Each structure stands twice: as structure tokens, then as C-alpha cells.
Amino acid sequence: MGNNFWQQVPFLRLLPAVLCGILTAIYAHFIPVPVAWFVSLSLVLSLSTFIVFRKYFSNHRLRWVSGIHFYFLLFFFYYVLTLENTASLDPLHFQDSVKEAKAFIGYLNEEPIEKYKSRKAEIIITEVKTKVGWKKCRGKILAYINRDSLSQKLSYGDVISFSSVPLPTEPPKNPNQFNYKRYLHFHQIEHQVYLPSGKWISLRSNSGNPVLRFAIGVRKKLLDIYKHQGISGREFAVLSALTLGYVDEIDDETKRAFSASGAMHVLSVSGQHVGIIFIGLTWLLFFLERGKWRKIIQAVLLLLLIWCYVIITGLSPAVLRAGTMITFIIVGKMMRSNTNIFNTIAVSAIFLMAFNPNLIMEVGFQLSYLAVSGIVLIQPWVYKQLFVRNRILDAIWKLTSISLAAQLATFPLGLLYFQQFPNYFIFSNLIVIPLATIIIYGGIVLLLAGSWIPSVTVWIAVAVDSLTWFLNAIVTFIEKLPYSIMSGIAIDIFQTWVIYVIIASLCFFIAMKNIFWLRISLALFAFYLALWLNDSRYISGQKQMVVYNVKGNTAIQLTEGRNSILIADSALLNNESSYIFNISRNVYHLGIASLEKIISDDLDGQKIRTGAGIYLNGNFIFFDGRKYFIADEMPDIKFVLSRRITMDAVIVTNKSVRNISSLLNNFSFQKLIVASSVPDWLSKKLQAQCAEKNIACYSVSEKGAYIESN
């Protein structure tokens, strides 16, 4: 990478200034907005002076002055842009009127998503009613609307009024739990509300963005074509996701299978899907490749068709990113044939972050740009390492090299966010990507044919349905293979950065053949090993007890070293999504090698000893020198022991204890831990009783998980 390369990528050189401005606004925010605006305008004026009187600054030694000006201008511009796009800082945000609010008016900003007992939708608040009347406001909330005949009719753009007061999103209440509050914050959502039947009314329809409303309407009609052709079940869910970006029908089992096989990326319309469409359209318009004006016509047609596809897939963030990137590639090729792909990638990222700076915090944004960068940077070198004469084998090797490059660029983030690695990703992608490509083309042909050519459409529908069934079968087969997924690998952000610097150093070494970069990568690898050994030493001596906050459920985890016992309700153990969201991330973080799960109803007769620190005997727990009793399904203890048993704490679950006097007749304890399976009304009652008797009381539902550790 010489000077010639950096001259070809001006936007790549500007990208660090953009990223620093956004990240400073997100994490530091030490410069007031008015000051940042003043500095930005001052930099614009000074930079304009340089441009107007450039002949006085044409000296080569002074070129850095204008460059520094432009870097600082971008920094402050994106800094201000990020703060201006932060909803919680908006002076017109409805949050200042929540306490005195009597009613709200807003419109649905997306199609409602079906949940078990409700329909989830993002609502943009436009008006709030206080004691002085209605006033205009702004802000988003996440609403869970009770499922009934009225809510089933709601769709994007419908305006509703409701009286329930939105509550601030709560932070994580369990150790190492996914920070949903932070996730919603970067989507400009700070409040949530539950709307029961009768607490809201529909006012009118057809509000919101007309383009998005049109896109959703078109997608509904296209989905109806699939249904009309008899495609249903998992095949309908996967086909809809592959071709139209409609993922609401995909169940947890399907998601798990695609994730474990390393093929999760095909289930959401993204860069790969738009790329497939782009390749197909380019092939169809091949006759316009010769001649200046023909190339311009081809580019215009490609842009129109690509954005038509982007619109009908619902204008999701992922497909918008892909469409924008493809747009810059098309425009770049139209303007000049030797456009540097890194410059195109950088300018598309800068452009998208100008509209939404918080995109940088989205996992999909990070993964998509890393995958594309890895393919562009690493894949050519990997592909050249093996020369294959046979065209079919060469195509297989090329696809394999693409998978390897993309996986190498994204696996650190996969470990950070998902704590897992699909071991058979090469094998699955060799089958899934070509098969998904055929299904995408077939699905689009089916949509275009519709009901116009019934005799042909039926056979296309049968073929597409069969191929989609085969895709699901292949993915499920790979998932069930031994060691299909390596899970439980927990790394932090610092370790993620170290891994990426190691990868970057190796890439520089390969590209520049400079031994310096190899030494850097080896030194960092040794440093990473030292971090890992330090973590292992800490894990081997750790002891922790956690009473988790899982609404309506009991979950108690006892950990010693790499061994752990989880006592939980059968409903929780059978609910994989709830277990993953609330508990599994902490299990991975603790580095647990052996986890024994015990159903709380089966505690009677259980006798388990783990090393010297944990001993479980029925409802009694002896942990690290402390003694606990689990009051589980014990109505009221009517007999009185001759001598009270001394415990450090009693853990109350469900509705087993209505009055702590029944416990005090048989136990002496200084702390009562109220599990999240205890109803709120009973929890408050027990807290009041503890206050009267000077006994410490910890409510897991109110305060979050109860944790004791060494």
C-alpha cells in the first residue's frame, strides 16, 4: 500500500475523522452543542478562505493546513450531527411531559410484529395532552398492544390515541445480560408502554412516510402471491425472508438452525441479496455495456431496478445499506472505470452515517462493512494460494475463499456479540449460497409471473417450494452434526480490538512483506495469551451465587470455578429464548465448563456436592461457608421445631410464603431474598413485614438479580 493507493481513496482517509466525531458524541459528549456549532462554522469560514485565496497557500509545505482544517470540520460536523440525532436531547421530546400527561397521540412507524400475547410496534408520538391541553411533541416509544380483533387491523401509518403512560426502558437486571435499553437508545427509543384492550383507540390511517407505506403495501401483495400458490409453513417463512426481507414468520427453531450452520446471513435481505439481484440485472442488461451513452442508460436502469427491489423489501436498514453501497459502485463505474472499491465502501458509509450517525453502533452495520472489506482485502490473496484448472472446482474454491475472507473479518464480532462460532460455515455456505441464489431468482420470477401465466406459475411455485424445503433440510442436517457450533466463547471489547489488530498486522505483513508487521502480530498474540491465562486463573478460583430476575420464574445459579448448578422452573428451562436472553450470557462470561440444571420442583431428595464450596441438600444450600434455604411451594409451616435453624438468608419463591412469621418459627435469618417468581403484590407485602421486624429484604423484581461473589 504505497502513496498511490492513498491518493485513490480520499474518503477512506476521511473516515477516521467521521468515526471519531460520532464516537466522541456517543461516549464523551464533553463539548456543548452551541460551542460545537460555532467551531464548525468557524472552520467552514477558514476553509473557505483557504479555497478563495488558494494561490497564497499553494506552497507544498502548507498543504497540511487545509487538510487538518477539513479533518476537524468533519469531526465537529458529525459530532453535532450525532447529538442532534439523539432523541433524549431533543427539547420537544415528550419525556418532559410524561409526569403530567393524560393522553398521547402517535402513529405506527412499522408493521406490528406478532408476539405470544401482544403485537409489538414502534410508535412515533406527535401530541401529548396535559392539564393545559394538547401540545405538539416528538419521540419514539416501543408499544406492546394486546392482541384482539382491533389490534389485528393495525398497520403502518395508523394513528392511535392512548392513555397508558410510557415508562422509561429499564437497564439489564441480570449480570452480563444483553443491554436492551442501550440497544433501544441507539434506535432513539427511551420508553415502552403496554396497551391493554380498551385503553387505546384508532383515529385514522395513512399517516407516516408515503414511500414506506407504499413499500409495505406492495410487499403485502407479493406475500399474498406466495400464499396463493400454496407455499406455507417454514418454506413460506424462509422464502419470504430470502426474497422480500419479511422475517416475522421465522420461528426460533429456524433461526437456531441457520445460526448454528453459519448461514444466518441469508435470512435477512442484505448486501449478499442485493448483490445477487445486481449480478442478475447486469447479466440481463449486458447489451448496454458498450458505448458511453449505453453505459449511462444501463447505470440508470440498474439504479431504478435496484431501488425498486430495495423499496419492495420494506426499506429495512440492512437493505438500505446494501442499496446505497451498490449505488455508489454503479455511479463510480459509470463515471470512471478504475474506481477504488475501498473508496466506494468508505463514501457509502460516510453517506449513510450522515443520515443516521448511530448506525455505527448497529451490529448489522458493523458486520456488513467488515464482511465486504474482508472479501475485498483478503479474498484475492486467499484465492491465489490455490490454482485450480477445473472450472467447477475453481468456482467452488472461489466461493470457499469468499466465505473464509468474510468469516475472518467478522468472527471477532461474532464472538463478542453472540459467543459462538459455526464450525461448518465453509461446508454450509458452499451449499446454502448457490441454493439461496437459485431460490431468490426463482422467487422473483414467481412474483413477476403472478397469476398472469397460471400453467407456468404452478410449476415454478412447486420448484421454488421444493428448493426451499431442501434448503431448510440441509441447514437442519448441518445443525445436528456433531460439534456443529462452538458456543460459550466470551470475549470483551478490548480483546476484540486486540484480535482485529492482530488480523490487520498479518494483512499488512502479507501485503507489504515487511517483517515489522509480523513481529507486531506475534507480540499482540502473546499479549492476548497473557490476557487469556489471567482470565483462566481468575475463573478457576471464582465463586458466585446469582438469583436471576426472570419475570414469573425462579432461577438460582451456584458457581465454583468452572462448575455450576442452575436451579430453575421447568417453564424457564424449556423456554430457550428466555434462557438465552437472561442467563446464558452470564454462563458464558463465567467460563462454565459443566452446568447441571435442576428443576426447582424436584429439589426434594437432591444431594449434590461440587468441590468444597457448594453442597445442595434438598431445599438447603451450603455455599462458600454460607447457608441458604429455598422456600419453594411451602404453603405455611404449621409445625414448630424445638430449635430454630440458623440461616444466612431465605430465598422465597412463587406464593410459598404469605407471612414471614411462619418462617421465623423455624428459621433464624437476617436477610430475605424475594425471587422474581413472587407476584409484585406479595413482594411488597413481604418487604413491609421485613421492615417491621428489622430483617433485610431484597426484591429481585425491583432491584435486579441478587449476586454474591468472592
Side-chain angles (χ1 to χ4, degrees):
M1 292 184 183
N3 291 330
N4 187 46
F5 170 80
W6 292 111
Q7 291 173 1
Q8 295 175 2
V9 289
F11 286 99
L12 184 61
R13 301 201 310 268
L14 296 174
L15 188 59
V18 172
L19 296 178
C20 286
I22 295 172
L23 294 175
T24 301
I26 290 173
Y27 290 110
H29 185 197
F30 61 91
I31 307 172
V33 175
V35 174
W37 270 120
F38 175 77
V39 174
S40 299
L41 293 174
S42 301
L43 288 168
V44 169
L45 290 174
S46 61
L47 193 61
S48 301
T49 304
F50 278 110
I51 294 171
V52 172
F53 300 101
R54 60 181 179 275
K55 65 179 181 179
Y56 298 107
F57 300 97
S58 58
N59 192 313
H60 183 76
R61 289 178 299 176
L62 297 176
R63 288 177 61 189
W64 63 272
V65 177
S66 58
I68 291 293
H69 266 70
F70 201 68
Y71 265 75
F72 274 101
L73 175 60
L74 278 177
F75 172 88
F76 280 101
F77 174 75
Y78 276 87
Y79 176 88
V80 171
L81 203 61
T82 304
L83 295 181
E84 293 288 353
N85 277 274
T86 302
S88 57
L89 301 177
D90 187 351
L92 292 179
H93 198 276
F94 70 86
Q95 63 187 1
D96 296 331
S97 305
V98 164
K99 290 183 179 179
E100 56 180 9
K102 296 181 179 179
F104 299 85
I105 291 178
Y107 66 88
L108 274 67
N109 195 40
E110 63 181 358
E111 279 293 283
I113 299 172
E114 298 293 338
K115 294 295 182 181
Y116 179 60
K117 293 182 179 179
S118 63
R119 304 189 80 203
K120 184 179 79 169
E122 182 183 294
I123 294 178
I124 294 183
I125 302 297
T126 56
E127 295 181 64
V128 60
K129 184 180 182 181
T130 62
K131 57 185 178 182
V132 296
W134 290 97
K135 68 175 183 178
K136 299 289 184 181
C137 62
R138 290 194 291 259
K140 296 180 184 178
I141 64 168
L142 193 64
Y144 293 86
I145 309 169
N146 186 54
R147 289 179 64 175
D148 56 25
S149 58
L150 289 177
S151 65
Q152 291 298 122
K153 298 177 182 177
L154 289 174
S155 61
Y156 171 80
D158 287 356
V159 179
I160 66 171
S161 176
F162 57 91
S163 57
S164 300
V165 178
L167 300 175
T169 308
E170 294 184 343
K173 289 194 172 184
N174 291 308
N176 299 296
Q177 184 179 357
F178 172 68
N179 195 334
Y180 193 52
K181 177 182 177 68
R182 185 170 178 266
Y183 170 82
L184 291 178
H185 170 75
F186 289 127
H187 287 78
Q188 309 307 314
I189 298 174
E190 307 290 344
H191 294 73
Q192 297 184 76
V193 68
Y194 174 71
L195 301 180
S197 300
K199 291 291 184 179
W200 64 274
I201 57 172
S202 179
L203 299 180
R204 60 184 181 275
S205 302
N206 299 328
S207 291
N209 188 313
V211 176
L212 184 55
R213 187 169 63 247
F214 171 77
I216 292 172
V218 170
R219 187 168 67 173
K220 281 183 177 179
K221 292 180 180 178
L222 295 176
L223 290 170
D224 287 339
I225 293 175
Y226 286 153
K227 293 177 181 177
H228 180 71
Q229 295 299 328
I231 301 174
S232 60
R234 291 183 68 186
E235 285 67 49
F236 172 79
V238 172
L239 179 61
S240 302
L242 282 172
T243 56
L244 298 172
Y246 182 73
V247 297
D248 293 358
E249 297 284 335
I250 298 177
D251 55 29
D252 291 338
E253 184 181 349
T254 303
K255 290 178 183 177
R256 185 173 63 251
F258 275 82
S259 177
S261 64
M264 190 67 182
H265 56 90
V266 305
L267 280 186
S268 60
V269 173
S270 58
Q272 175 183 306
H273 301 71
V274 177
I276 290 170
I277 300 299
F278 172 66
I279 291 169
L281 291 173
T282 304
W283 180 78
L284 288 173
L285 299 173
F286 73 93
F287 56 90
L288 295 173
E289 290 181 353
R290 294 183 179 274
K292 179 182 177 181
W293 289 107
R294 285 188 177 186
K295 284 186 176 181
I296 293 174
I297 293 170
Q298 184 194 50
V300 171
L301 287 175
L302 283 172
L303 288 174
L304 286 173
L305 293 170
I306 285 291
W307 281 98
C308 282
Y309 179 70
V310 169
I311 288 172
I312 65 172
T313 53
L315 293 170
S316 67
V319 75
L320 280 172
R321 288 195 300 269
T324 303
M325 193 181 298
I326 292 290
T327 297
F328 280 103
I329 291 173
I330 294 171
V331 173
K333 284 188 174 182
M334 181 181 67
M335 294 176 65
R336 47 187 295 193
S337 58
N338 59 341
T339 304
N340 190 292
I341 187 63
F342 289 103
N343 199 53
T344 303
I345 294 170
V347 72
S348 67
I350 292 172
F351 178 80
L352 285 170
M353 287 185 287
F355 286 95
N356 182 8
N358 287 305
L359 276 176
I360 189 62
M361 304 307 296
E362 288 195 10
V363 179
F365 183 87
Q366 297 169 12
L367 288 174
S368 62
Y369 274 92
L370 280 171
V372 172
S373 301
I375 291 170
V376 172
L377 183 65
I378 302 171
Q379 187 271 338
W381 179 84
V382 174
Y383 177 67
K384 289 177 183 177
Q385 301 312 300
L386 184 63
F387 176 72
V388 182
R389 292 184 182 276
N390 185 283
R391 292 181 62 182
I392 296 176
L393 293 178
D394 181 64
I396 293 173
W397 168 236
K398 191 171 187 178
L399 185 57
T400 302
S401 65
I402 291 172
S403 296
L404 283 169
Q407 199 69 47
L408 183 63
T410 58
F411 88 89
L413 276 189
L415 298 181
L416 175 66
Y417 291 126
F418 309 115
Q419 297 86 43
Q420 64 182 31
F421 184 83
N423 293 323
Y424 302 133
F425 72 92
I426 293 178
F427 174 58
S428 64
N429 282 322
L430 283 175
I431 301 173
V432 168
I433 292 177
L435 195 55
T437 302
I438 297 171
I439 293 171
I440 289 171
Y441 288 143
I444 291 174
V445 170
L446 178 60
L447 293 175
L448 292 174
S451 56
W452 298 344
I453 320 172
S455 57
V456 177
T457 304
V458 170
W459 290 106
I460 296 174
V462 170
V464 170
D465 190 37
S466 301
L467 287 171
T468 310
W469 174 88
F470 183 63
L471 174 63
N472 287 331
I474 286 291
V475 168
T476 304
F477 171 76
I478 295 172
E479 179 211 7
K480 295 186 182 302
L481 288 174
Y483 310 108
S484 64
I485 190 167
M486 191 187 306
S487 60
I489 309 171
I491 61 173
D492 56 29
I493 295 176
F494 180 70
Q495 291 172 319
T496 305
W497 276 109
V498 172
I499 294 173
Y500 270 118
V501 176
I502 292 172
I503 294 172
S505 300
L506 287 173
C507 289
F508 281 126
F509 168 68
I510 293 169
M512 303 172 67
K513 302 296 189 293
N514 190 330
I515 196 68
F516 169 78
W517 294 108
L518 180 61
R519 289 171 179 167
I520 291 291
S521 62
L522 291 174
L524 286 171
F525 183 70
F527 176 65
Y528 185 85
L529 283 179
L531 292 176
W532 179 78
L533 289 171
N534 183 62
D535 288 344
S536 297
R537 182 188 61 81
Y538 172 79
I539 288 171
S540 62
Q542 71 181 348
K543 291 180 181 178
Q544 185 188 78
M545 184 185 84
V546 181
V547 182
Y548 288 99
N549 182 336
V550 186
K551 189 170 180 61
N553 290 277
T554 299
I556 305 167
Q557 184 179 351
L558 308 165
T559 300
E560 181 189 23
R562 293 185 179 274
N563 299 312
S564 193
I565 298 171
L566 177 65
I567 304 166
D569 299 338
S570 58
L572 174 59
L573 295 178
N574 292 327
N575 188 338
E576 187 173 5
S577 59
S578 180
Y579 172 80
I580 290 173
F581 183 79
N582 293 289
I583 298 173
S584 67
R585 291 175 68 94
N586 190 48
V587 173
Y588 297 153
H589 178 80
L590 295 173
I592 302 301
S594 173
L595 177 65
E596 184 170 356
K597 298 177 181 178
I598 300 173
I599 298 175
S600 56
D601 291 341
D602 298 338
L603 279 175
D604 291 341
Q606 292 279 357
K607 288 188 178 183
I608 300 173
R609 182 183 294 277
T610 302
I614 302 175
Y615 176 58
L616 182 66
N617 187 351
N619 286 52
F620 291 90
I621 297 173
F622 302 90
F623 171 71
D624 195 25
R626 296 186 289 273
K627 295 176 288 184
Y628 304 88
F629 178 76
I630 303 175
D632 182 26
E633 297 299 332
M634 297 170 52
D636 274 325
I637 303 175
K638 296 182 180 180
F639 60 91
V640 180
L641 299 175
S642 59
R643 182 180 178 183
R644 293 195 302 169
I645 302 173
T646 301
M647 308 298 294
D648 288 281
V650 172
I651 304 171
V652 176
T653 67
N654 303 313
K655 299 178 182 178
S656 56
V657 175
R658 304 296 181 91
N659 194 314
I660 64 169
S661 297
S662 59
L663 288 173
L664 291 171
N665 288 336
N666 297 281
F667 299 100
S668 173
F669 56 92
Q670 295 300 314
K671 182 182 289 185
L672 188 74
I673 303 169
V674 183
S676 54
S677 57
V678 177
D680 291 340
W681 64 268
L682 182 54
S683 175
K684 295 183 185 302
K685 179 181 177 181
L686 293 174
Q687 290 179 67
Q689 293 175 2
C690 287
E692 292 177 0
K693 298 183 181 296
N694 293 321
I695 296 174
C697 184
Y698 188 98
S699 172
V700 172
S701 295
E702 294 181 9
K703 300 179 181 179
Y706 177 82
I707 305 172
E708 284 190 11
S709 59
N710 60 351

